[in-house]
Amino acid sequence: MNSHLLSGLNPEQRAAVELPAQSALILAGAGSGKTRVLTTRIAYLINTGQVSPHGVLAVTFTNKAAKEMVTRLSAMLPINTRGMWIGTFHGLCNRMLRAHHREANLPQTFQILDSGDQLSAIKRLMKSMNVDDEKYPPREMANFISSNKEQGLRAHEVEAYDPYTRRKVEVFAEYDAQCQREGVVDFSELLLRCYELLSRNAALREHYQDRFKHILVDEFQDTSPLQYRWLKLLAGRSNALFAVGDDDQSIYAFRGANVGNMQDLLRDFHVESVIKLEQNYRSHGNILDAANALISNNRNRLGKNLWTSESGGEQLRVYEAARDVDEAGFIVDEIKQLHREGVNLKEIALLYRSNAQSRVLEHALVSAGLSYRVYGGLRFFERQEIKHALAYLRLMENTDDDNALLRIINFPTRGIGARSIEQLQEAAKMNSTTLWDAAARAGGKVSAFVALIESLRSATKDLPLPEIIDHVLEHSGLAEHFKNETGAKKREAEERLENLNELINSATMFVHENEDDSLTAFLTHASLEAGEHQAGDQDDALHLMTVHASKGLEFHTVFITGLEEGLFPHQNSQNVDGGLDEERRLMYVAITRARRRLYLTFAQSRMLHGKVSYGMVSSFLRELPDELLHWLSPRFVARKSFDSYLPPSADASFGAAPAPARADAGIWRIGQRVFHQKFGEGVVTGVEGGGADARVQVNFKHAGSKWLALEYAKLTAA
DNA sequence: CGCACGTGGTTTTTT
DNA sequence: ACCACGTGCG
C-alpha cells in the first residue's frame, strides 16, 4: 500500500523516506524535494504501522511551512491531521505550556508579546529603573535578552565582567520578573520556559518522550542552540530525530540560528546515515552551475553539489547600469518583453538585499503600469488599530497585562493624560501591584475606564468570539473614533475601520477552523501568526521581495538587483565573523530561486541614505564562471575581467544615459582594495562629500575602520 | 491633548 | 530620501 507513496521518488529520496527508526540527517539542496520527503516520511511511518499519528512530532519555522505539511499529509493519508503535533517551535511550545501552565508557573490565559510589545515593555521598565536609554538603547536591550534566551541562558547565567554588561543583566532579570507579574511571555520565553518545564519535570518529560517516537525537523540549519536542546530533550535516548536541512541555505545566523547544530547532531545522535538530496527539479543547468561555483567559495561546508537532468538552458544575463534608475528602467523593459512572450507577471521576481531598494523599482513599475506586490511589509495583526483592538481583548482576559492597559487607557482619548498615568505607575510600584489594581483604586476618569473594561467583560461573557469582538469595537469607542475622523485623515480612518471589520471576519474564520474557539486561543493565534501577507495569487502581479523573503519560493524568471560591493554583500557583514560566507549563502539562495531565466544587475551609482554613492560590481558576480554569463550591457562585451574597472566618467561612450553627478572622491569606490602608508591594506567601505571635504571610509585589515580625508590621506590602489 | 517640527538612524526577520 | 520618534508649543 506504500507503492503509491513511493512512486516518483528518486533513489535518495526513497532511501530517506524508508530509513529505519533511527536519527538521521538529510542534506537537502535547493529544489530537491525536501518538503515532499518530509511529508512522505511521515505518511510512510504511519502507513507501515511504525507509529500512530499520535506519536509524531513535526516542527517547522514558519506557519506557512507547517500548514503546507498538514495539507500535503492530508492528501496522502485518510487521517485527521487536526490533533497531530505539527507546527512551529513556538506553536508547539505554546501548546505544551497551555496544557501544563500550572507546572510552568503561568496563568492559563498567559498572553504572548510580539517584538513590538516586548520593546515597549522594555522601554517602560527601563524608565522605572532609571536606565539611560542613550547608553542602553532599548532595541539593543531587547536583542540582548532575546539572544541570551535563544542560547538557553537566564539572566543569572549570563557572564558579565564589566559594569555595562552587569547593568544589562539587571534589566534582563527585572524584565523577566515584570513579565511574570503581568502574566505575559515573549517569543523566546515561550521556548525557554517550555525547555525548562521539560528539563525540570521528569514525569512530564518521560510522558512526552514515550509519546513522540518520531521527531521530524524542517530547515534544521536554522535552529538555535535552545531549539536544539529542546529537541534533544524530547528525543531522549531512544526516539528518532529526522532532521532535514541545507547548510548552504543558512541565512539566519544574525538572529541566533546555529548551523553548527548539524555537526552536533551527527555526534550527539550517532547518526550513521547522512543522505544527500542533490538532484534539483527546479532549475536549468547553467543556473545550478552558477550556484555551485559560487557556493564552492565557502569553507566548512558539509558538501553538496546540485545537478539536474534538464539541459543547460540559457546563460545568465548580466546588465550594468549607470544609475539605479537606469537599472530599474532596464528591468522594466525586459519584463515587458517577457510578458509579450507569454510569461506571467507572477512568475517573475525582483529580488534585492535590503528593503530600501524596492523604492526605485516600484517607481519604475508604476510609471510603466506594471502591477506588482511587495512582500514583507506590515502584517495584519501588527497594524496599529488591530493592536489596539487586541489590547482591549487582552486586558479583558488578563487585567495584569500592563502593556495592554497602557496602550488603550487613553485610546481613544478619554482625558487620561501622561500625568495621571505616571501617578498610576507610581502607585503600582509602591504597592507592588499591577496598573490595573492601582487603577481600580483611583477615581475620576480612570475609574470610568476600569468600569468600561469590566462592563465589556460582563456583557460579552457568553457571546461567541466574533460577537465579542464586534461588541468591544462598538462599545470601547474604537469604531466611533475612526468613524468621526474627518479631513486629511478621513481616508486613512476608513481603511482602519475596514481592517477592524476584517478582524471580525478573521475571528469568524478562526472559529470555523479551530476546535478551541476561546478568546485566549484567538489572541494566541494573533500573536503567533501575525497574519499571512495578504494572499491574492489570483491576480497576475510581479513579486518584489528581499532575498531573505524569497527562500523556499521559485519563479520562472528572477532578477537579482543591486549586485554591488557594499550592498550585496552588505558592508555591515564585513565586520561580522563569517559574515561574508553568510552573504554568499544568501546569494546562493537568490540564484537557486530561478527556474529558467536569471538576470544579474548592478548600477555604477545609486541613491543611498539620501546621497549618491558609487559602488563596484559585487565580488559575487566575479565568482561566477565567465562562460555562464551573457553580458547585455555594451561596456563589457569586449572585456572579460573586472580588473581594469574605471570610474564612470572615464568612459564617455557608455550608453545614452546621462552621466551621474560625480563625487569628488575621485576614483575610490566601495569595495576597492587600497593601501595606506601607515594603516596598511584595506577595503573602501564608504565614499562621501566632494572637493576639500571628500572622504572615504576604509576598513583596514589591522587598523580597523577609518574615515580618511582625501586631501591629506595618501591612498594607493592595491 | 494634539500637532508641528526637528533629529537621528538607516541589513536581513519569524515567531 | 525617508521614516520613526521625541520635544515643545498652541
Side-chain angles (χ1 to χ4, degrees), chain A residues 410-431:
Chain A
N410 200 35
F411 192 94
T413 44
R414 42 178 74 89
I416 302 176
R419 200 57 231 283
S420 334
I421 292 174
E422 247 169 61
Q423 283 171 351
L424 276 185
Q425 286 176 316
E426 270 165 41
K429 201 175 176 183
M430 196 105 78
N431 304 318

Side-chain angles (χ1 to χ4, degrees), chain A residues 114-357:
Chain A
D114 68 21
S115 342
D117 298 330
Q118 185 191 28
L119 194 64
S120 43
I122 288 173
K123 282 183 185 163
R124 177 158 55 86
L125 174 71
M126 284 176 55
K127 211 171 238 169
S128 85
M129 291 178 71
N130 283 318
V131 179
D132 181 358
D133 61 359
E134 301 239 303
K135 211 168 147 198
Y136 301 90
R139 219 165 253 298
E140 206 177 277
M141 194 63 86
N143 265 332
F144 176 78
I145 293 174
S146 296
S147 58
N148 273 306
K149 287 189 185 178
E150 286 289 346
Q151 302 284 324
L153 299 176
R154 287 287 176 198
H156 66 89
E157 297 167 302
V158 177
E159 295 181 352
Y161 300 117
D162 57 286
Y164 184 76
T165 311
R166 269 198 290 277
R167 188 71 172 140
K168 289 206 285 191
V169 169
E170 279 174 45
V171 176
F172 183 1
E174 270 307 310
Y175 165 78
D176 271 359
Q178 172 178 283
C179 289
Q180 183 65 29
R181 274 200 305 277
E182 299 178 9
V184 295
V185 297
D186 62 39
F187 286 132
S188 30
E189 181 70 24
L190 227 32
L191 305 178
L192 183 53
R193 191 68 76 102
C194 186
Y195 171 79
E196 289 171 346
L197 171 71
L198 292 172
S199 87
R200 288 175 190 167
N201 192 321
L204 265 181
R205 181 173 64 246
E206 282 157 20
H207 165 77
Y208 282 110
Q209 284 174 345
D210 279 348
R211 174 172 178 174
F212 298 127
K213 292 297 171 207
H214 287 272
I215 298 170
L216 302 95
V217 193
D218 190 18
E219 306 274 16
F220 186 74
Q221 78 283 351
D222 287 335
T223 48
S224 69
L226 175 58
Q227 286 162 338
Y228 181 55
R229 281 166 64 181
W230 184 81
L231 289 168
K232 272 207 289 193
L233 211 51
L234 279 174
R237 284 173 193 281
S238 53
N239 296 329
L241 184 63
F242 186 89
V244 182
D246 180 0
D247 53 330
D248 291 332
Q249 291 188 73
S250 159
I251 55 174
Y252 287 114
F254 71 92
R255 65 171 200 221
N258 174 30
V259 206
N261 286 348
M262 298 184 92
Q263 303 278 9
D264 292 352
L265 174 84
L266 299 181
R267 193 194 57 219
D268 296 347
F269 288 82
H270 314 290
V271 170
E272 287 153 31
S273 32
V274 174
I275 294 181
K276 293 184 185 180
L277 306 181
E278 299 176 290
Q279 183 173 0
N280 174 292
Y281 295 95
R282 179 183 295 157
S283 311
H284 271 165
N286 286 340
I287 294 171
L288 293 183
D289 289 348
N292 285 330
L294 178 95
I295 202 67
S296 70
N297 290 297
N298 271 9
R299 299 291 134 215
N300 304 322
R301 298 173 57 218
L302 292 173
K304 203 169 25 55
N305 224 29
L306 294 177
W307 64 276
T308 177
S309 59
E310 296 270 350
S311 63
E314 301 177 352
Q315 285 174 303
L316 282 52
R317 300 171 181 233
V318 184
Y319 185 79
E320 172 181 42
R323 305 168 305 166
D324 47 4
V325 286
D326 304 315
E327 179 191 37
F330 164 77
I331 292 169
V332 163
D333 290 344
E334 291 294 305
I335 292 172
K336 282 182 177 162
Q337 181 59 31
L338 278 161
H339 199 37
R340 278 195 291 273
E341 288 167 9
V343 179
N344 286 329
L345 293 182
K346 66 178 172 201
E347 273 297 339
I348 302 173
L350 274 53
L351 308 185
Y352 34 81
R353 176 64 179 83
S354 61
N355 282 307
Q357 290 167 252

Side-chain angles (χ1 to χ4, degrees), chain A residues 522-539:
Chain A
F522 181 67
L523 291 172
T524 299
H525 165 82
S527 304
L528 290 184
E529 300 188 38
E532 307 291 287
H533 320 290
Q534 306 91 314
D537 292 342
Q538 39 301 29
D539 35 334

Side-chain angles (χ1 to χ4, degrees), chain A residues 447-685:
Chain A
S447 69
F449 171 73
V450 172
L452 169 68
I453 298 297
E454 271 169 351
S455 84
L456 290 175
R457 194 158 39 166
S458 61
T460 58
K461 202 165 40 129
D462 301 312
L463 294 180
L465 186 59
E467 287 174 39
I468 296 179
I469 298 175
D470 187 49
H471 181 97
V472 169
L473 293 181
E474 290 306 324
H475 293 84
S476 63
L478 258 188
E480 181 96 3
H481 170 83
F482 291 118
K483 273 179 204 152
N484 290 341
E485 205 70 70
T486 50
K489 288 195 166 173
K490 180 109 200 252
R491 282 191 66 155
E492 186 191 291
E494 278 168 1
E495 200 185 314
R496 293 188 193 275
L497 263 180
E498 263 173 51
N499 286 332
L500 289 174
N501 276 323
E502 194 53 41
L503 182 65
I504 302 179
N505 290 340
S506 87
T508 309
M509 292 245 300
F510 181 81
V511 169
H512 281 299
E513 286 170 6
N514 293 277
E515 272 165 57
D516 179 358
D517 59 2
S518 65
L519 180 52
T520 297
F522 181 67
L523 291 172
T524 299
H525 165 82
S527 304
L528 290 184
E529 300 188 38
E532 307 291 287
H533 320 290
Q534 306 91 314
D537 292 342
Q538 39 301 29
D539 35 334
D540 189 31
L542 295 159
H543 289 75
L544 269 66
M545 64 187 88
T546 63
V547 180
H548 280 93
S550 75
K551 194 166 116 176
L553 306 176
E554 61 175 64
F555 305 90
H556 174 281
T557 295
V558 168
F559 289 82
I560 306 177
T561 70
L563 277 170
E564 294 133 47
E565 203 64 16
L567 240 202
F568 195 4
H570 199 277
Q571 54 175 301
N572 290 8
S573 69
Q574 285 227 341
N575 313 313
V576 182
D577 216 32
L580 186 62
D581 282 1
E582 178 143 324
E583 293 287 307
R584 194 177 280 110
R585 291 193 291 270
L586 201 48
M587 180 67 180
Y588 177 79
V589 168
I591 293 173
T592 53
R593 298 309 98 196
R595 283 205 298 268
R596 295 294 174 257
R597 182 177 289 190
L598 182 58
Y599 287 90
L600 308 167
T601 67
F602 63 103
Q604 296 169 347
S605 75
R606 76 171 59 237
M607 241 359 181
L608 234 88
H609 312 318
K611 289 189 200 116
V612 179
S613 81
Y614 298 84
M616 295 214 314
V617 65
S618 168
S619 53
F620 293 155
L621 200 44
R622 310 165 68 146
E623 291 176 10
L624 304 181
D626 274 348
E627 65 271 19
L628 296 177
L629 306 181
H630 174 59
W631 284 85
L632 296 169
S633 38
R635 247 175 97 97
F636 285 101
V637 171
R639 199 188 298 161
K640 283 278 195 291
S641 117
F642 298 88
D643 294 339
S644 49
Y645 203 92
L646 295 169
S649 56
D651 191 345
S653 70
F654 176 63
R662 199 146 58 82
D664 290 314
I667 63 167
W668 305 119
R669 294 166 151 271
I670 293 167
Q672 176 108 47
R673 287 177 197 291
V674 293
F675 184 79
H676 185 274
Q677 281 297 334
K678 193 165 140 208
F679 302 129
E681 282 178 64
V683 180
V684 177
T685 56

